[in-house]
């Protein structure tokens, strides 16, 4: 796929995927359109060679794969992983707060959100709902308000003169967004607003009552190409829907001759220890059902995982937070992440393979190592490596403002990584 088409698709995907459930639903749509067959974890599976399949768990994690024309025991699996979740604010189960003339919503912080940028934004809400229909049956559906419906206003600087040097945020006190004035809407509650939205979205819906909801706040400003020469992409959720997009496109574009798989886990931002997270058994369960017994161990020994998650580009205003020789620059290529204490799973062999492929394709490539006097973040790479015992690489595009409501990346790096990944999915031999 050519660069501009790739980027247009990326921006559209980011804009239409305000939550992990929307991202997975959109990815399932792409796989359906490409002729991949959906598998149900509760059914018996019989996988045919040369076919594409996918499976969804909890509507928030997805594994897609090509069985390929060769047996995994002989060829090994070419795998990539990314995560579907991003830090955000999520509406509490009983969210109504009525005070000082305003109806506000109680929110919980999901993951390590950078909170300041959430203030003074035109926010919307999206998520999933379980409801009871007219016949008393339970149904699940997605919901998206699409328009700005809530705002978290800042306190004026006149009332807090030190705001620019020392404003701190109390999550319980300062984050509830305003959604209505109670004088005009004295009795409105959140479930009424949700039900109204569902009925507007789905005129035929048989909705008796809402049983449960899980709703994320998100910025209504659309993802964009920015910069004097359009060198940048800005959007929410670049970490890590950008990697979901490029992994999915690489799998779809690859020729399908080799056993190849892409796993998109949920819950990376909260530690991955869930049924659909990278510390859970989702990937393992798919691999077991694909190849069992002795052959599975042979396949694993010949396989590789590329854990794709964004890296920290060097920030021109804060260079002191980076190691001088390992500060990646936007649009100068994907970043191999290395940490000798194994916070990243990259090894000499896996990084060497990536550099080799990049060189063949003429794609530039950079390296990130955290400063020796700072702690290092981590990814799903080490979890997968330890969980299933497989050679792993941690790699990703450089970005700024990670975990902000508006993140920033170069406009060429995602496409470069897509090209390397596609080539990797088609590699005849990984290690021989
Ligand atoms: Zn991430």
């Amino acid at each position: 796929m050519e660069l501009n088409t790739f980027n247009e698709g990326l921006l559209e995907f980011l804009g239409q995927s305000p939550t992990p459930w929307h991202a997975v639903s959109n990815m399932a749509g792409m796989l359906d359109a490409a002729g991949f067959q959906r598998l149900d974890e509760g059914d018996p599976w019989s996988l045919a060679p040369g076919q594409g399949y996918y499976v969804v768990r909890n509507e928030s994690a997805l594994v897609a794969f090509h069985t390929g024309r060769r047996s995994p025991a002989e060829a090994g699996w070419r795998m990539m992983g990314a995560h579907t979740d991003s830090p955000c604010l999520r509406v509490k189960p009983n969210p109504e707060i009525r005070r000082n003339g305003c109806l506000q919503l109680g929110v919980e912080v999901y993951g390590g959100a950078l909170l300041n940028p959430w203030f003074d934004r035109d926010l919307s809400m999206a998520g999933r709902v379980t409801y009871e229909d007219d016949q008393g049956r339970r149904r699940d559906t997605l919901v998206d308000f699409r328009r700005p419906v809530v705002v978290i206003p800042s306190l004026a600087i006149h009332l807090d003169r030190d705001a620019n040097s020392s404003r701190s945020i109390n999550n319980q006190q300062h984050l509830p967004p305003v959604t209505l004035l109670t004088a005009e809407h004295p009795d409105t509650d959140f479930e009424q607003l949700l039900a109204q939205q569902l009925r507007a979205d789905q005129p035929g819906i048989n909705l008796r009552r809402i049983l449960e909801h899980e709703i994320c706040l998100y910025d209504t400003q659309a993802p964009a190409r920015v910069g004097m020469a359009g060198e940048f992409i800005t959007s929410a959720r670049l970490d890590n829907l950008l990697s979901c997009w490029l992994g999915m496109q690489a799998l779809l574009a690859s020729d399908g001759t080799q056993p190849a798989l892409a796993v998109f886990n949920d819950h990376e931002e909260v530690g991955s220890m869930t049924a659909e997270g990278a510390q859970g058994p989702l990937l393992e369960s798919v691999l077991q059902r694909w190849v069992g017994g002795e052959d599975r161990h042979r396949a694993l020994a010949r396989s590789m995982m590329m854990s794709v998650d964004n890296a920290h580009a060097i920030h021109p205003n804060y260079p002191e937070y980076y190691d001088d020789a390992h500060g990646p620059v936007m649009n100068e290529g994907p970043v191999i992440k290395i940490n000798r204490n194994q916070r990243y799973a990259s090894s000499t062999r896996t990084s060497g393979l990536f550099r080799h492929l990049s060189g063949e394709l003429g794609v530039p490539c950079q390296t990130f190592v955290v400063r020796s006097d700072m702690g290092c973040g981590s990814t799903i790479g080490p979890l997968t490596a330890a969980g299933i015992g497989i050679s792993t690489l941690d790699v990703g595009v450089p970005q700024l403002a990670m975990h902000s409501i508006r993140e920033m990346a170069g406009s060429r790096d995602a496409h470069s990584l897509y090209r390397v990944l596609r080539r990797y999915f088609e590699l005849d031999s990984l290690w021989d």
Side-chain angles (χ1 to χ4, degrees):
M1 193 188 289
E2 167 276 328
L3 176 63
N4 281 329
T5 318
F6 177 91
N7 277 336
E8 278 164 27
L10 168 61
L11 296 187
E12 194 183 328
F13 175 64
L14 288 163
Q16 291 181 356
S17 306
T19 76
W21 313 290
H22 287 82
V24 164
S25 162
N26 290 331
M27 288 195 279
M30 292 172 209
L31 291 160
D32 290 337
F36 280 60
Q37 193 184 320
R38 184 169 180 146
L39 299 166
D40 189 312
E41 288 195 277
D43 290 341
W45 292 7
S46 75
L47 305 178
Q51 290 293 317
Y53 298 94
Y54 73 97
V55 59
V56 170
R57 183 177 285 186
N58 183 42
E59 300 175 89
S60 68
L62 185 150
V63 182
F65 54 98
H66 277 304
T67 48
R69 305 236 165 248
R70 302 169 63 204
S71 89
E74 299 300 329
W77 282 298
R78 288 128 194 82
M79 300 192 244
M80 74 78 64
H83 63 90
T84 59
D85 61 322
S86 306
C88 66
L89 303 182
R90 295 194 175 184
V91 177
K92 290 180 178 175
N94 303 320
E96 298 85 359
I97 303 168
R98 292 183 176 83
R99 59 183 176 193
N100 304 109
C102 294
L103 175 62
Q104 294 176 267
L105 301 175
V107 289
E108 197 173 355
V109 180
Y110 176 85
L114 189 63
L115 292 170
N116 267 308
W118 282 80
F119 287 77
D120 309 322
R121 293 271 175 169
D122 302 345
L123 303 173
S124 189
M125 299 188 288
R128 64 172 173 178
V129 174
T130 299
Y131 66 92
E132 199 177 283
D133 72 9
D134 287 348
Q135 282 81 48
R137 292 170 303 198
R138 268 175 292 121
R139 293 277 177 258
D140 302 314
T141 191
L142 298 183
V143 64
D144 185 354
F145 284 76
R146 285 189 192 86
R147 62 197 190 282
V149 287
V150 293
V151 182
I152 310 169
S154 290
L155 180 64
I157 187 134
H158 316 75
L159 304 179
D160 179 9
R161 293 285 175 190
D162 299 326
N164 286 333
S165 52
S166 62
R167 176 172 291 173
S168 65
I169 299 168
N170 178 299
N171 293 357
Q172 177 71 17
Q173 229 182 317
H174 301 145
L175 292 179
V178 176
T179 190
L180 279 176
L181 291 173
T182 44
E184 290 159 43
H185 306 270
D187 304 317
T188 305
D189 68 30
F190 185 66
E191 284 187 5
Q192 284 168 6
L193 298 171
L194 258 188
Q196 260 170 32
Q197 187 61 36
L198 281 171
R199 291 195 173 100
D201 283 354
Q202 307 174 38
I205 196 169
N206 285 320
L207 171 61
R208 182 188 285 167
R209 70 185 179 113
I210 289 173
L211 297 169
E212 199 63 65
H213 53 78
E214 201 169 349
I215 305 294
C216 305
L217 269 50
Y218 73 91
D219 190 2
T220 53
Q221 186 177 2
R225 282 288 287 273
V226 304
M228 201 59 87
E231 306 101 316
F232 308 113
I233 286 172
T234 50
S235 171
R237 304 176 297 281
L238 290 178
D239 172 12
N240 195 11
L241 293 184
L242 176 145
S243 307
C244 292
W245 170 256
L246 72 88
M248 180 59 74
Q249 294 313 310
L251 186 74
L252 291 174
S254 64
D255 63 14
T257 53
Q258 307 298 333
L261 174 150
V263 54
F264 304 102
N265 288 114
D266 191 9
H267 297 143
E268 192 269 349
E269 301 293 358
V270 292
S272 297
M273 185 71 99
T274 66
E276 45 285 332
Q279 283 208 68
L282 174 60
L283 175 59
E284 178 72 359
S285 148
V286 170
L287 297 179
Q288 265 175 18
R289 295 174 81 159
W290 188 340
V291 180
E294 171 80 354
D295 276 356
R296 205 174 71 81
H297 296 282
R298 294 178 58 208
L300 287 173
R302 293 180 165 172
S303 300
M304 175 166 157
M305 167 63 79
M306 279 200 203
S307 160
V308 186
D309 203 347
N310 298 349
H312 296 296
I314 187 155
H315 194 307
N317 298 347
Y318 301 91
E320 66 275 23
Y321 287 90
Y322 301 77
D323 182 282
D324 288 341
H326 302 93
V329 176
M330 285 181 285
N331 279 346
E332 291 192 12
V335 180
I336 293 172
K337 297 186 240 179
I338 292 180
N339 179 261
R340 298 304 182 208
N341 293 295
Q342 301 300 314
R343 301 283 296 162
Y344 301 130
S346 308
S347 69
T348 313
R349 286 171 87 213
T350 57
S351 345
L353 180 140
F354 190 88
R355 279 188 191 286
H356 179 79
L357 293 184
S358 303
E360 275 183 1
L361 293 168
V363 167
C365 176
Q366 315 182 71
T367 310
F368 177 78
V369 178
V370 77
R371 281 178 64 96
S372 303
D373 52 5
M374 282 172 62
C376 185
S378 193
T379 71
I380 63 172
L383 303 176
T384 313
I388 61 171
I390 185 176
S391 299
T392 301
L393 174 73
D394 267 302
V395 67
V397 309
Q399 74 154 100
L400 291 173
M402 193 178 281
H403 291 192
S404 171
I405 197 168
R406 193 88 177 158
E407 301 176 320
M408 178 171 178
S411 58
R412 288 201 301 272
D413 295 321
H415 186 255
S416 297
L417 185 45
Y418 149 80
R419 288 180 59 210
V420 179
L421 215 58
R422 177 181 170 180
R423 174 85 186 91
Y424 157 76
F425 281 143
E426 295 177 353
L427 262 191
D428 224 24
S429 160
L430 287 170
W431 306 120
D432 313 324

